[in-house]
Each structure stands twice: as C-alpha cells, then as structure tokens.
Amino acid sequence: MSPILVIAGKEVADGLRNRWIVGATLVLAMLACALALLGSAPTGSLGVKPLAVTVVSLASLTIFLVPLIALLLSYDTIVGEIERGTMLLLLTYPITRTDLLLGKVLGHCCILAIATVVGYGGAGLAVGLGQGSDPQSWAAFGLLLVTSVMLGGAFVALATLISLAVRERGTAAGLAVALWLVFVVVFDLVLLGLLVAGQGVVDPKLFSWLLLANPADVFRLANLTGFDNVRLFSGMAGLAADMRISSGTLLAALAAWMIVPLAAALILFRRREL
Amino acid sequence: MNAIAIDGLSKRYGRQAALCDVSFALPEGALLALLGHNGAGKTTLMKLMLGLIRPTAGRVEVLGCEPAGAALSFRRKLGFLPENVAFHDEMTGRATLRFLARLKREDLGACDSLLERVGLAQAADRRVKTYSKGMRQRLGLAQALLGSPRILLLDEPTTGLDPVLRQEFFAILSELRQGGTTVVLSSHILTELEARTELVAIMRQGRLAAWGSLPELRKAASLPIRIRLLTPGAAQGVAERLGGLDIAHVNDNTVELVCPLEDKMTVLRHLAGLGGAVTDLDLQLPSLDDLYVHFGHHRQSAEVSP
C-alpha cells in the first residue's frame, strides 16, 4: 500500500476514534436539516424549487462552519506531532516528507468529505425528494457538496501551513482562530468598507477580483452565481451580471487555494530540521 | 566493508557547535557504546547517521550511502529507538506497531511475534496511554526491530526496563549481531555495558574524547587498579611490610592499595609473599564509570586514536 494511503488511513482512523467524524457530521446534518426545513417553509407556497433555496442556505452555513472544522482538524497536525515527540520516529521510516504531509492532508480532506457528504446529503435528499426539484437544482446541490469539500481542503492546507510555520501548538491554535476571523468575518467587512468609502473611485471590476483573494468568497460566488435558479434566490442575480468571472475561474481559484498553501507547506517541511 | 564511516563530522546549530570534528569507522556486526553526559552530542550524532539533519562539515556514510540524501530503501535497513520514545496515546500497542510495519512495508504477521518477544503480548490491545514508561520503551524496541534492520541506533534503550528484560534485550542484540547487524547505543547506565561492549566512544562537548575497546581505553587512561586486602587484626603490620607501594587506606581489618595497571603482576607476587596475614584479596579494575568520568569530564584533550 502506498505510504500516502497508510498515513491517510491512520488519520481517518484517528478521526473515527476520537469522534471527530461523528461530531462534525452530526453538527452539519443538524444545522442542514434545520436550515432546509426553515428555508422551504416560506417558499413552498410560492411554488419555487425548494432544493435551490436549500443550496443557498447551506452555502452560508458552509462558509461559517467548514473552515472552522478544517482549521481545528489540522492546525496541530505537524507541530503537535513534533511537540509530542512522535514526528522524530516517523521521519526515520521509509517515507518521504512529501508523502507524509500529503497523506495527512488527504486524510483530513476525507474526514471533511465524509462529514459534508453525509451531513448535507441527508438534508438535500429529504428536501429534494420530498418537495420536488429539477435537474438544475440537483446540479447546484452537487456543486455545493464538491465546493464545500474544496473549501474545507483549502483551509486544511492553510492550517497545515500554519502547523509547519510555528514552533508551538498554542501559537498554531491562535493563528488558526485569527485566520478564520480574517477570512470569514473581517475580509468582507473591509471590502464592504472599501466599496462604500471608495464609491466612484474604486473600479467595481477590481472589487470582484479582490473577492478571489478569499477562499470563502470564492466559494460563495461559485455557489450563488453558478446556476440561474440559485442566483435568483440568493439576490446575486444583479451582481452576477456585473461579474466577469466564470464558474471555471472560480473553481480554479478554489483549487489554487488548496494547492498553493500545500505547496508552501511542503517546501517548509522539506527544509525543516528536527 | 564499514557499516558506518564518519569523517571530520561537525554540526552547528546557529552559533552553538553540537558536534565538532568527529571521525570513526565501525565494521559490520560491531556494537558501539556511545557514552557522554547530556548535551555531549550523542543524539546529534545519531540524527546525522539517520539523515534527519545534514552535517555542517564532514561526511557521514552509513551502509555506503549518505543518510540525508539516501533513497527510501536505505531507511528500511535502519532501526531507531529515540530517547524518550513517544507514540500516539489513543492507539493500542498492536495498532501502533502494525501502522509502523505498514510504513516500513514489512509483513504484518511479524508484529505479533515481536510484541511477544518484548513481553507486550498481554497488553497489546490496550491503549498506549495506559502504558508505563517501561512498556513504552518495549514498544519502542519492538518497532526498532521491525524487518531485521542492518543498522540499529538505540538512544538510551534500557531506561525503564527491568533487569530481566534488560537481559532479554541484550540477548536480542547479540542474536542480531550474529546476523551482521551493526548496533550503536547510547547509555548512562555504564555497568550493564561493560560485559557486552567491545567498542566504546566517549563524547564530551561535541568531541570524541576517547575511542577504543575497553582494555585499550583502560591502558590509555592509565587509571590505577585498586587492591583491597583483608587482613584481620594485622592491618598495620601488613601495611608496614608493603614499603614502596601506594597505600590508599588502612583500617583495622583492611588495607587498600593503588597501583598502576602495568605493575599489577609484580604487586600480586609481592602480596603472595606476605603469607597468612592476608586472608583475602579483592582486585578492582577501572570500570567503565571510571573511564567515563576520566575522559568525559577531566582531561581537556584526550584523543585516543583507534
């Protein structure tokens, strides 16, 4: 078996053992169900496609929760092992540092994928099958699942990078929380402030490209502007018309947010002396 | 072929020199005991041999290749037990060993017999969190022995082992050495090494303070041997008849002599001539402890060439 898979398998087994997977899945499932029920109640009478509405609510939920889960899962993946003293032994085994890191990231992405697909899948199926839907809504829901895992992957990669850049677990935890605040809360506020203050001065096109600098916003744009029916419910129809960024570019940007921090982490790890 | 060849090896961390111009060669199947106080450079030397860190200067060659840039197949031939070995607390002993065996691409079937061998078969399905220090150490030994390594690097391997296990541990080592495995181990407990080591390296402040077999080192250190004579009621009389010899201590029933190693036989012949006044005799060669203190702490530059 490939060493990457051995490491990833161990991470998933750890996730099962310490209830990470069960916990994350339950939280996502419960909130997703709550949102699905609340979301479909007022719109059902209007005769719209409830699954599309659910996608909008779940996308907002993902932006808050998935990065948090990913950061908590991965922030001590390297620094924790170094502090506990388990890393030294591992590095003397016939496995490259690249494989070790990729295995860990893959394992954490699997944990997130299980939690997201099971947690959201249940709610999506319940709404979609129970209240009717159309192929486009299912496609939007599929895109939501894929991009949620990608967003999680981006934050796993960022947390892994943090884990390699610091010397103590406490610092890594602090940085992880700060990163969540910046990307999920502060970034949008600052951008909004810029937009208001720089009205007429800042080119709106520049504004839309600035959104690419935040994986959470890339995720939001990808999901809320990706399909016509979702766009309608998310109030993004107007914005989407202004946006020159295609779905493909958004997905590529999200993938870049996974790959670039991971590449940086790999470079740091290879240089690190223990 | 030398299993380990080290030439002018130095390692600096920032401005601090952890290892300074160390050279030696170790033939296959040898057992080398690395002695030295904390910070003498033992662990740094092991990390260099493992390829975990790169030397600042000099060369290290293990099994004919440089560890830091070696292919992964090289590491399959290594067994390593770090000082204060740590495992994931939530995993069981068996799961830990199987995980490591998979990484080393070894047969999983060997895990159970290894656990048996280090006396962990009963506790194999308990979480490592519940293990005592000695049990963790045994698990550490088991993983170091995975896949019959050609080179075994053991940092303080016997801490926390009870005497029976210690015996068993050295039995395993000598078995492996007969198969050509080269062993380097560091230790603070010197007495247990005495009977089992033919090569000793004493490290002091990052330098190799002494190197050689135990007899060679004794000779180089020229530490005196101590002879204790049991002379009931006649200590003073005997002491007077030992004119010319260095008397360390006299009380009512014993006389203690100190003499250079090379004069041993002369002194013994002389003592034999003392007749019935001496009822017993105790001869103490300089121990590894004495050598360690001598080379490790006192002399400023005591290079003993191999």
Side-chain angles (χ1 to χ4, degrees), chain B residues 11 14 27 31 74-75 122 149 172 176 207 226 247 250 289 291:
Chain B
K11 176 69 189 175
L31 190 155
F74 163 76
R75 293 209 205 136
Q122 303 291 321
I172 294 174
L176 283 168
R207 289 175 183 277
R226 288 176 169 273
I247 296 169
V250 182
D289 288 80
L291 288 172

Side-chain angles (χ1 to χ4, degrees), chain A residues 84-135:
Chain A
R84 280 193 299 270
T86 47
M87 183 57 82
L88 185 67
L89 186 63
L90 219 47
L91 289 182
T92 65
Y93 271 72
I95 170 171
T96 62
R97 293 186 181 200
T98 306
D99 284 356
L100 179 57
L101 206 66
L102 289 180
K104 277 176 166 287
V105 168
L106 180 65
H108 291 166
C109 286
C110 284
I111 292 176
L112 275 171
I114 295 170
T116 313
V117 171
V118 175
Y120 283 3
L125 283 180
V127 174
L129 296 179
Q131 308 195 15
S133 61
D134 56 310

Side-chain angles (χ1 to χ4, degrees), chain A residues 156-200:
Chain A
V156 164
L158 284 167
T160 305
L161 180 60
I162 288 176
S163 192
L164 269 160
V166 301
R167 297 273 159 184
E168 278 170 43
R169 272 185 78 195
T171 324
L175 276 178
V177 171
L179 199 73
W180 183 81
L181 274 176
V182 165
F183 279 147
V184 175
V185 182
V186 178
F187 189 89
D188 288 356
L189 287 179
V190 171
L191 223 54
L192 202 63
L194 265 180
L195 197 68
V196 172
Q199 221 161 15

Side-chain angles (χ1 to χ4, degrees), chain A residues 18-270:
Chain A
N18 59 26
R19 314 272 192 277
W20 250 109
I21 294 181
V22 177
T25 308
L26 279 181
V27 167
L28 287 181
M30 272 164 25
L31 289 171
C33 283
L35 282 178
L37 294 176
L38 286 176
S40 51
T43 53
S45 56
L46 291 172
V48 295
K49 308 295 183 294
L51 186 60
V53 179
T54 304
V55 166
V56 175
S57 348
L58 287 185
S60 305
L61 176 66
T62 299
I63 285 170
F64 278 90
L65 267 187
V66 169
L68 193 64
I69 294 173
L71 287 167
L72 288 178
L73 198 61
S74 304
Y75 80 91
D76 75 338
T77 181
I78 301 295
V79 76
E81 289 228 28
I82 292 176
E83 239 173 54
R84 280 193 299 270
T86 47
M87 183 57 82
L88 185 67
L89 186 63
L90 219 47
L91 289 182
T92 65
Y93 271 72
I95 170 171
T96 62
R97 293 186 181 200
T98 306
D99 284 356
L100 179 57
L101 206 66
L102 289 180
K104 277 176 166 287
V105 168
L106 180 65
H108 291 166
C109 286
C110 284
I111 292 176
L112 275 171
I114 295 170
T116 313
V117 171
V118 175
Y120 283 3
L125 283 180
V127 174
L129 296 179
Q131 308 195 15
S133 61
D134 56 310
Q136 203 184 28
S137 296
W138 283 117
F141 186 68
L143 180 72
L144 172 79
L145 286 185
V146 170
T147 48
S148 292
V149 176
M150 284 174 81
L151 181 66
F155 276 89
V156 164
L158 284 167
T160 305
L161 180 60
I162 288 176
S163 192
L164 269 160
V166 301
R167 297 273 159 184
E168 278 170 43
R169 272 185 78 195
T171 324
L175 276 178
V177 171
L179 199 73
W180 183 81
L181 274 176
V182 165
F183 279 147
V184 175
V185 182
V186 178
F187 189 89
D188 288 356
L189 287 179
V190 171
L191 223 54
L192 202 63
L194 265 180
L195 197 68
V196 172
Q199 221 161 15
V201 183
V202 182
D203 186 1
K205 272 181 198 155
L206 174 74
F207 171 76
S208 65
W209 285 105
L210 271 178
L211 286 175
L212 292 186
N214 180 350
D217 281 331
V218 177
F219 170 84
R220 200 194 318 262
L221 287 178
N223 278 288
L224 301 191
T225 65
F227 291 92
D228 287 334
N229 55 355
V230 177
R231 211 176 292 155
L232 217 64
F233 296 120
S234 60
M236 297 285 268
L239 182 60
D242 291 342
M243 298 269 303
R244 297 282 181 274
I245 307 172
S246 69
S247 284
T249 313
L250 288 171
L251 284 180
L254 206 49
W257 271 106
M258 293 171 75
I259 293 163
V260 173
L262 186 58
L266 283 173
I267 292 169
L268 272 187
F269 195 29
R270 289 171 71 96

Side-chain angles (χ1 to χ4, degrees), chain A residues 1-4 6-11 13-14 17-19 77 80-81 83-97 99-100 104 270 272-274, chain B residues 11-13 43 47 50-54 72-73 75-76 78 80-92 95 99-105 127 143-144 146:
Chain A
M1 196 172 11
S2 145
I4 298 183
V6 175
I7 299 283
K10 180 189 166 286
E11 293 295 326
D14 283 350
R17 197 183 306 111
N18 59 26
R19 314 272 192 277
T77 181
E81 289 228 28
E83 239 173 54
R84 280 193 299 270
T86 47
M87 183 57 82
L88 185 67
L89 186 63
L90 219 47
L91 289 182
T92 65
Y93 271 72
I95 170 171
T96 62
R97 293 186 181 200
D99 284 356
L100 179 57
K104 277 176 166 287
R270 289 171 71 96
R272 183 81 171 263
E273 287 203 333
L274 284 177
Chain B
K11 176 69 189 175
R12 302 180 70 84
Y13 289 107
T43 303
K47 283 184 180 177
L50 287 162
L52 286 174
I53 52 178
R54 288 170 192 277
L72 288 184
S73 58
R75 293 209 205 136
R76 288 191 61 195
L78 291 185
F80 173 52
L81 172 63
E83 189 180 4
N84 302 322
V85 64
F87 299 103
H88 289 271
D89 279 348
E90 298 298 327
M91 286 169 88
T92 66
F99 164 63
L100 293 171
R102 265 190 213 108
L103 276 186
K104 220 169 180 179
R105 294 164 194 241
R127 290 181 181 198
Q143 65 78 26
L146 275 172

Side-chain angles (χ1 to χ4, degrees), chain B:
Chain B
M1 187 185 115
N2 281 325
I4 298 173
I6 284 171
D7 187 24
L9 195 62
S10 300
K11 176 69 189 175
R12 302 180 70 84
Y13 289 107
R15 297 175 66 182
Q16 198 195 349
L19 208 64
C20 198
D21 196 24
V22 171
S23 303
F24 64 82
L26 208 56
E28 268 186 84
L31 190 155
L32 171 70
L34 275 179
L35 305 178
H37 55 86
N38 292 327
K42 292 172 298 185
T43 303
T44 305
L45 187 56
M46 286 206 179
K47 283 184 180 177
L48 282 163
M49 290 192 270
L50 287 162
L52 286 174
I53 52 178
R54 288 170 192 277
T56 313
R59 282 176 62 81
V60 53
E61 230 173 57
V62 178
L63 295 173
C65 50
E66 279 194 49
L72 288 184
S73 58
F74 163 76
R75 293 209 205 136
R76 288 191 61 195
K77 300 178 200 156
L78 291 185
F80 173 52
L81 172 63
E83 189 180 4
N84 302 322
V85 64
F87 299 103
H88 289 271
D89 279 348
E90 298 298 327
M91 286 169 88
T92 66
R94 196 190 307 279
T96 303
L97 199 58
R98 288 171 72 93
F99 164 63
L100 293 171
R102 265 190 213 108
L103 276 186
K104 220 169 180 179
R105 294 164 194 241
E106 292 301 338
D107 185 17
L108 293 186
C111 293
D112 288 346
S113 59
L114 268 176
L115 286 168
E116 184 87 40
R117 201 166 182 190
V118 296
L120 276 182
Q122 303 291 321
D125 292 314
R126 272 167 51 192
R127 290 181 181 198
V128 173
K129 165 159 87 174
T130 67
Y131 281 17
S132 67
K133 172 100 175 73
M135 290 163 85
R136 280 164 208 251
Q137 194 74 7
R138 279 184 261 167
L139 187 56
L141 274 179
Q143 65 78 26
L145 297 175
L146 275 172
S148 330
R150 307 288 307 147
I151 303 269
L152 209 46
L153 300 170
L154 309 167
D155 206 349
E156 307 276 349
T158 53
T159 40
L161 294 188
D162 62 47
V164 177
L165 270 162
R166 222 169 264 183
Q167 293 270 352
E168 171 69 10
F169 165 68
F170 279 104
I172 294 174
L173 283 196
S174 61
E175 199 180 296
L176 283 168
R177 287 180 58 205
Q178 273 161 18
T181 301
T182 312
V183 184
V184 177
L185 62 89
S186 75
S187 183
H188 278 123
I189 309 165
L190 312 181
T191 41
E192 66 179 17
L193 296 176
E194 199 142 1
R196 287 142 173 149
T197 325
E198 57 262 34
L199 271 174
V200 177
I202 297 173
M203 305 205 46
R204 193 177 59 82
Q205 292 172 3
R207 289 175 183 277
L208 203 58
W211 164 276
S213 68
L214 222 47
E216 279 169 357
L217 288 184
R218 282 203 184 101
K219 218 167 136 188
S222 63
L223 286 176
I225 55 172
R226 288 176 169 273
I227 304 171
R228 212 165 72 141
L229 307 173
L230 202 61
T231 56
Q236 283 303 329
V238 170
E240 277 157 29
R241 289 169 64 190
L242 290 173
L245 290 179
D246 201 351
I247 296 169
H249 184 73
V250 182
N251 66 19
D252 283 352
N253 295 317
T254 58
V255 178
E256 263 189 54
L257 299 173
V258 178
C259 84
L261 196 61
E262 55 270 26
D263 293 349
K264 184 172 71 181
M265 287 316 293
T266 324
V267 172
L268 282 179
R269 274 187 215 105
H270 183 78
L271 291 175
L274 289 176
V278 180
T279 57
D280 198 5
L281 177 149
D282 209 12
L283 196 124
Q284 226 183 2
L285 288 171
S287 66
L288 206 47
D289 288 80
D290 297 329
L291 288 172
Y292 173 51
V293 170
H294 177 83
F295 286 113
H297 289 280
H298 288 306
R299 300 226 309 230
Q300 282 308 303
S301 59
E303 299 291 339
V304 184
S305 53

